[in-house]
Amino acid sequence: MPIVSHTLAFSTQADGSTSNVLRMYDQDGTEYTQTFFAPAGFNVQTKVDNTIAGLNEHLATTEYQALVGL
Amino acid sequence: LADYFVASGGSNTAPYDTWAKAATSLQTALTAASASGDIIAIQYNGVPAGDAEVAGATTYTFNNNVSLIASTNSGTSTITPTAMSTANWIGNSTTNRNITLLAVGFRIYTYGLTFRTAGATAASLIMATGDGSHWVHDTPYFWSGNTNSGAVTAFSSQDHQMFVRCVNPTFRFGAVGQFLRISAKAEFTGGEVSSAGSTPTALLTFTSTDPGGCTLVWEGADLSVLGSNSILGDNTTSAPIVWLTRCKLGTGFSLLATQTNLNRSSGEVFAFDCSNGDTHGLFAYANAMGSVSSDTGIYFTAGAAAQSWKIVTTAACSYHTPFETPWFSAYNSTLSSQTPYVEILRDGSTTAFQNDEVWGEFSAKVTSGSTQASFSNDKMALAGAPANQAAGAGLGSWTGESGTAWSGKVDSGSAITPAELGHIRARIVVGEPSITVYLDPQIRT
């Protein structure tokens, strides 16, 4: 089941970096959470895109393995 | 005890006890070194051709508690440790070759060795294996130039009980899908993931058929090259714990990749005083149920370190199988009745947390003459009705909250009377999925 939506919440730290909480949801509404830290000026959107892409690949692999009984 | 020498220019004359008579095969010297305490010195820039470019999959077998040291060739019989670094190696620089180190039940020390594999068909570096073995790799360079994602750098790949220590290791990978696989009790100090080669999507995994150990303690590593990738990958056949202390982390690091098994049978990571910048004294911990990390943006103003602990739970935790922070302590020097508590905060909502969502658990020695702890909490009773947790010091006591927030506290549920001097310990437990809780990690009375 691919990720179909996500939310990103963050809190800014004393040094200007951010503490981020990315919650991703698949077609069934199952939530997957990833937390990460980013310095000021970091391209958070790229990190979000990569995380979702990686999770999609992980979910597809898991689903395939379940289907073929691995 | 005896010294044995290995060099490409040796005469290969037994007993290989000088550089002139050095063996021209590493395994020849390893076989000769059959007494506990023997030392094998291999010329750091004179690795025999058959070892520098092995012709096929190669297993180097150690036959006793011995040491293998990369050394300068003095021409006599002295040993001057000199690391091979990236100019010299054991393995193969152009072709896929599996390289394995085997010692069953022995204690092995190595210094300055570079192990290398290459090619495009998967080939791995199995840098410790053998049931009951104990390995110390000092200043090793593990160089996977192999470009296949199926290639791994590993400490054991079988059902082997092992301990591995690495001092200043360098790990270099040939594909982003590669990783460091540990099936052992491992301790690393210093070292790095090389900026040369590829950067693993997730650095660590502990996959094993039947692991003989699944822990890694790593202090002083430079993991900055990982960037925004994960430290610990998905673990489906083991339940590892990783402790990182005073490490340099990637710019957008994640401690833990998404786990297939959304519970504590998956991996978990502690990070003490680790950062991707110049901020010190931070703490973080993550498992599949949630995470807790230092937050310097929102904190209890009177707290000791201008930081709170920020708990983020995943969808996997519940009242019955909650997320638990690590324990923290406060020294108690009185034997009087007290109700220890911890300040907590909900940011973004003024609704109080209830005692089926967030509670405190406290450990104290309340029995005289015993070290055994007793536990108390303010958790909702099993099958009970939830109630609001008590109000805390108020939003005026917090810095950085959004203004729409709730200040509360969790406590021991009832007064406790320590019978022995010493630490009272506490941890905060969250039974509500997908929420964020801030706490001041200080036990107050």
Side-chain angles (χ1 to χ4, degrees):
Chain A
M1 293 294 175
I3 298 301
V4 296
S5 65
H6 70 273
T7 63
L8 177 69
F10 66 93
S11 54
T12 303
Q13 306 298 288
D15 62 359
S17 64
T18 55
S19 169
N20 300 272
V21 182
L22 175 63
R23 297 191 188 276
M24 301 160 282
Y25 303 89
D26 68 14
Q27 288 175 319
D28 290 340
T30 302
E31 178 188 296
Y32 304 89
T33 304
Q34 184 66 260
T35 58
F36 62 96
F37 303 84
F42 181 80
N43 191 334
V44 171
Q45 189 56 50
T46 298
K47 166 76 175 181
V48 170
D49 293 344
N50 290 341
T51 302
I52 292 173
L55 180 57
N56 276 331
E57 184 177 340
H58 172 80
L59 294 173
T61 301
T62 304
E63 191 173 354
Y64 169 77
Q65 290 174 337
L67 283 171
V68 300
L70 291 176
Chain B
L1 307 183
D3 293 344
Y4 299 87
F5 295 86
V6 181
S8 59
S11 64
N12 199 37
T13 304
Y16 321 110
D17 56 349
T18 67
W19 284 111
K21 293 190 286 185
T24 53
S25 158
L26 174 56
Q27 186 58 59
T28 296
L30 290 174
T31 301
S34 57
S36 180
D38 284 352
I39 295 175
I40 306 101
I42 184 169
Q43 185 178 337
Y44 85 97
N45 59 352
V47 178
D51 296 307
E53 302 295 342
V54 297
T58 300
T59 297
Y60 290 102
T61 303
F62 296 73
N63 296 299
N64 211 319
N65 306 312
V66 299
S67 301
L68 173 58
I69 298 172
S71 170
T72 299
N73 183 340
S74 66
T76 58
S77 58
T78 56
I79 297 172
T80 305
T82 308
M84 292 179 179
S85 190
T86 57
N88 305 283
W89 52 81
I90 297 166
N92 197 296
S93 63
T94 61
T95 309
N96 55 293
R97 299 288 184 244
N98 290 305
I99 307 298
T100 302
L101 306 181
L102 171 65
V104 180
F106 296 126
R107 299 182 299 276
I108 306 299
Y109 172 86
T110 74
Y111 174 81
L113 303 180
T114 296
F115 292 95
R116 183 176 182 182
T117 190
T121 302
S124 297
L125 299 174
I126 312 298
M127 295 291 92
T129 191
D131 222 0
S133 58
H134 174 124
W135 297 81
V136 179
H137 288 303
D138 191 345
T139 321
Y141 195 108
F142 301 118
W143 185 348
S144 174
N146 187 285
T147 56
N148 192 302
S149 292
V152 298
T153 299
F155 297 109
S156 188
S157 59
Q158 303 177 49
D159 175 15
H160 287 168
Q161 175 188 1
M162 295 197 322
F163 171 78
V164 177
R165 180 188 302 283
C166 287
V167 179
N168 289 322
T170 300
F171 298 97
R172 178 167 169 174
F173 300 93
V176 297
Q178 293 180 4
F179 45 80
L180 172 59
R181 184 176 66 199
I182 297 172
S183 304
K185 182 165 58 180
E187 292 183 9
F188 298 171
T189 51
E192 64 175 6
V193 174
S194 173
S195 59
S198 300
T199 304
T201 304
L203 174 62
L204 300 169
T205 185
F206 287 72
T207 306
S208 176
T209 53
D210 185 7
C214 280
T215 59
L216 170 62
V217 177
W218 198 347
E219 177 150 352
D222 181 354
L223 304 179
S224 58
V225 72
L226 293 174
S228 61
N229 293 346
S230 299
I231 307 267
L232 178 59
D234 188 20
N235 290 270
T236 56
T237 59
S238 59
I241 304 178
V242 176
W243 288 269
L244 303 174
T245 303
R246 296 188 175 186
C247 293
K248 183 178 181 182
L249 304 179
T251 48
F253 74 93
S254 298
L255 289 179
L256 188 66
T258 300
Q259 304 290 296
T260 296
N261 299 317
L262 296 174
N263 54 61
R264 289 191 68 184
S265 73
S266 297
E268 51 193 83
V269 184
F270 291 84
F272 304 95
D273 201 8
C274 297
S275 173
N276 54 16
D278 194 21
T279 303
H280 301 257
L282 303 177
F283 170 74
Y285 164 74
N287 65 36
M289 321 279 283
S291 63
V292 56
S293 59
S294 295
D295 192 293
T296 58
I298 297 175
Y299 57 91
F300 195 73
T301 311
Q307 62 174 252
S308 66
W309 279 8
K310 176 184 179 181
I311 300 171
V312 176
T313 59
T314 72
C317 79
S318 69
Y319 168 78
H320 294 285
T321 56
F323 172 79
E324 298 144 327
T325 71
W327 293 93
F328 49 96
S329 304
Y331 190 81
N332 172 59
S333 57
T334 67
L335 302 182
S336 57
S337 174
Q338 55 192 281
T339 304
Y341 67 94
V342 173
E343 293 281 350
I344 62 173
L345 180 83
R346 180 177 206 161
D347 195 38
S349 170
T350 58
T351 302
F353 282 129
Q354 297 194 301
N355 60 359
D356 63 334
E357 298 173 317
V358 184
W359 60 91
E361 185 170 15
F362 294 78
S363 161
K365 297 175 183 177
V366 299
T367 303
S368 181
S370 172
T371 58
Q372 185 180 15
S374 297
F375 299 92
S376 53
N377 62 64
D378 59 353
K379 175 186 180 182
M380 180 188 79
L382 197 59
N388 289 350
Q389 292 290 19
L395 298 185
S397 295
W398 287 81
T399 295
E401 47 82 22
S402 65
T404 302
W406 171 79
S407 166
K409 65 180 181 181
V410 292
D411 60 34
S412 57
S414 58
I416 59 175
T417 304
E420 299 286 347
L421 302 180
H423 286 94
I424 292 177
R425 288 156 56 79
R427 64 180 177 183
I428 307 305
V429 187
V430 181
E432 182 71 6
S434 307
I435 66 170
T436 299
V437 181
Y438 294 87
L439 66 105
D440 184 40
Q442 178 176 339
I443 300 170
R444 293 180 165 81
T445 56

